[in-house]
Amino acid sequence: MKKLVALLLTTVMAMTMLTACGAKEETAAPATEDATVSAALADGVLTVGTNAEFPPFEYMGDDGQPDGFDMALVKAIGEKLGVEVKIENMEFASLVTSIGSKIDIAAAGMTVTEERKQTVDFTDTYYEAVQYVILPVDSEIKAAADLEGKTIGVQLGTTGDFIASDIADTTVSQYNKAVDAVNDLINGRVDCVIIDKNPALVFEGKFEGQVVAVDGAQFEFEIENYAMALPKGDTVLAEQINQAIADLKADGTFDELVKTYIEAE
Ligand code: GLN
């Protein structure tokens, strides 16, 4: 009998402890109990990393702050989500590894690639692009085979960099700022620059009469798609941003931004 009482007592104690633990766990749960809000936004701030060297998507505005299509888009997303948007300007090559620590997301005309997907998740894609080849006006480079053995300027860590490195016998000159690559093209230090379509067209306009921007389709380059990069596994944040982008498309804001920042160039 004593044994039975002891056993009963132990069982009751164990159950009480279990319940107590359960209750404790509940109070220790994260402040954001709303499963529709990402923990990344719990502080009311969306910290966005970019590299403001990629017009018209991001560049330094006259006020010394990053401006451009992506910047306007993330600010509009911030408004939809009711959070403040803080922009961190950094090297393009540092963006992916800074997500989840220095920055919440990256908005930088970033192409979705299988390699990047190993480290980060992406939002829905929001813009289609292709790499272009910027050439001196008198260049004889016309097709993919002509790029072999050439010195190619690229922006470090970009898809243009990856493409150039895959071409036979090339010397790839990597720059942190695309404009420096274009300046070296004009100075004759590189034979061409491989960079995304829209910045290529901006540089063609800026250095008119000195360089031309040629469609990468002529060099058999594939179509690329831009998306914002997010911490891996934060599906709640992905859903929130995707919903905001969808809303901005539905209410016409997205098209307005395309007209203002991209098509006006
Ligand atoms: N779209 C290219 C990439 O993702 C270039 C982006 C950039 O230079 N900002 O690599």
Side-chain angles (χ1 to χ4, degrees), residues 54 58 92 108-111 116 155 157-159 196 224 226:
F54 196 70
E58 37 271 333
F92 184 81
M110 191 180 283
T111 303
R116 289 174 182 156
Q155 209 183 345
T158 61
T159 44
D196 302 48
E224 300 181 12
Y226 294 166

Side-chain angles (χ1 to χ4, degrees), residues 114-126:
E114 286 309 314
E115 204 196 0
R116 289 174 182 156
K117 274 196 202 164
Q118 314 269 316
T119 318
V120 290
D121 285 345
F122 283 99
T123 60
D124 291 338
T125 59
Y126 63 87

